[in-house]
Amino acid sequence: MVNKNITSIDDLSVKDINLISNQAIKFKNSKKIQFVKNPKNIFNLFLEPSTRTTVSFELAAKKLGYNSININFEKSSLSKGETFTDTMNTLISMKPDALIIRDKTNFSPQNISKHLNIPVINAGDGTNEHPTQALLDFCVIKSIYKNKKISIGLCGDIKHSRVAHSNIKLFTKLGYKLHLIAPSYFIDKNEVNKINPNIIYHKNLKKINDLDVLMMLRVQKERIPKNGKNMMNSFKKDYCLLSEHLSSKPYLMHPGPVNRNIEISDNVLDNYPKSLILTQVEMGVYLRMACLKYLLK
Ligand code: NCD
């Protein structure tokens, strides 16, 4: 049997997305969660910094009774100069039952999965995708709006954001109306049009109060070339979300971590009543439990 993976939103059908999201919401509403009968070993290989994704995958595994083994770059032999292939071969020799991987190289989880017969989850690959973040964002929206096809806007560094790419794929697949709000240096319209030619583009924040949900994205400082500082300053001037931009209509989301006063002002981040940012963090645990259940049953 070919094993299932979540390396991209492309790995999932609408049926899979509904199955996983319904399960996540069910986990969130459950008083008691049963441990699995057959505990398995789940390896988390994080080769880029992470707080919420690592902790939520570890917690998700433990809440289900699995063993979660965390390997991060600083503590691995990669930091001693071991090659990526040698590290992978070493880990695979220990027979994990699933591998969760975050890597700075685009498509590395997809490439690894071709050589393995265990499920692989992409926890973020370079600028490409972060499918479990998009799934958890969908769960948060679904918990509020059920299956209503609301309007969603993504604002910020869309070009370098793997979260944006997975969200555009996911919400396109599900038939939502999408708006992208970004300056030209933070968007590659040709790339986006390949996924969805019907997206509506905006070059300023003027229409954000017509949206049901506004997702701000982190400016990916570490992925921006040399003139990054100019882009940051220019973005901050024109797009940083201030309280005067917001009526009380749109829900506010952000995958975290937030660059305070670059994407979102302190005042909005700390006081906006319709912020869902910490709800996203909470849902992350239940969504990852649902992903493990989907892949390991
Ligand atoms: C995101 C990531 O690492 O891609 N963070 C996360 O997993 N919640 C978003 C980001 O770093 O901008």
Side-chain angles (χ1 to χ4, degrees), residues 47-106:
L47 305 177
E48 273 198 336
S50 169
T51 304
R52 57 218 93 210
T53 310
T54 339
V55 175
S56 65
F57 268 115
E58 182 175 359
L59 194 55
K62 289 183 171 160
K63 273 177 175 274
L64 290 170
Y66 291 121
N67 301 315
S68 177
I69 292 105
N70 292 324
I71 312 119
N72 62 34
F73 179 81
E74 285 76 24
K75 290 190 187 144
S76 75
S77 291
L78 283 162
S79 66
K80 295 185 190 166
E82 186 173 59
T83 67
F84 184 70
T85 310
D86 289 342
T87 297
M88 281 313 301
N89 287 335
T90 303
L91 293 175
I92 296 308
S93 305
M94 291 183 240
K95 308 252 182 297
D97 295 295
L99 177 69
I100 295 157
I101 176 163
R102 168 171 286 193
D103 191 21
K104 64 178 185 313
T105 309
N106 288 19

Side-chain angles (χ1 to χ4, degrees), residues 203-261:
K203 282 215 176 303
N204 53 54
L205 297 174
K206 284 189 186 135
K207 293 271 174 67
I208 57 172
N209 292 307
D210 296 342
L211 299 166
D212 295 302
V213 170
L214 172 62
M215 281 188 201
M216 298 300 291
L217 300 162
R218 185 175 68 88
V219 174
Q220 306 279 301
K221 291 184 257 192
E222 71 280 26
R223 304 187 210 282
I224 298 175
K226 289 170 203 59
N227 55 348
K229 201 148 175 63
N230 296 342
M231 288 184 194
M232 288 272 279
N233 289 336
S234 156
F235 180 82
K236 173 180 169 161
K237 184 164 76 59
D238 297 327
Y239 292 85
C240 180
L241 198 59
L242 310 173
S243 46
E244 59 252 41
H245 292 129
L246 288 159
S247 70
S248 53
K249 179 155 186 277
Y251 280 102
L252 175 63
M253 298 175 75
H254 189 301
V258 178
N259 290 313
R260 277 179 176 262
N261 302 309

